Amino acid sequence: MAQAFQRPRRHPSSSLFATDGKPHPLQDTLMAVTLVLGAIAFVTAQFHSLHLISSWTGLIGVVAGAYGQFVSVTTRERTGLVIGMGASALGLGLGLAHGGLFGGVLG
């Protein structure tokens, strides 16, 4: 009789952002850092004179995102990491095209 009043449980794979219900502070932090660095790299890559910021934040965002993918547990984390890594890689590429990691600083 008690089972008739219980809420039906959804299958975990029925949602794109399914989570296992456990906290993942390292993975969530890496996802947030990757998204922020990706946004900074993408925005600053639109300005030729900000190539140092876009290339360095892009590089760090790609590295942080790659490690985040290595340790990620849920689909939500992986989705955020891929979006952040894509923006970071785009910012890195445009930053390298505009002058690179050390353009104008060394030499």
Side-chain angles (χ1 to χ4, degrees), residues 35-102:
L35 285 169
V36 168
L37 288 173
I40 293 170
F42 180 77
V43 170
T44 57
Q46 309 307 312
F47 304 98
H48 191 283
S49 61
L50 298 177
H51 64 87
L52 289 173
I53 296 171
S54 64
S55 51
W56 279 105
T57 57
L59 179 64
I60 295 168
V62 168
V63 170
Y67 180 69
Q69 284 284 9
F70 181 69
V71 298
S72 67
V73 178
T74 65
T75 304
R76 178 184 57 85
E77 295 161 357
R78 293 182 189 119
T79 302
L81 286 166
V82 167
I83 292 169
M85 283 175 45
S88 294
L90 188 61
L92 173 62
L94 289 173
L96 291 176
H98 290 160
L101 295 167
F102 302 106

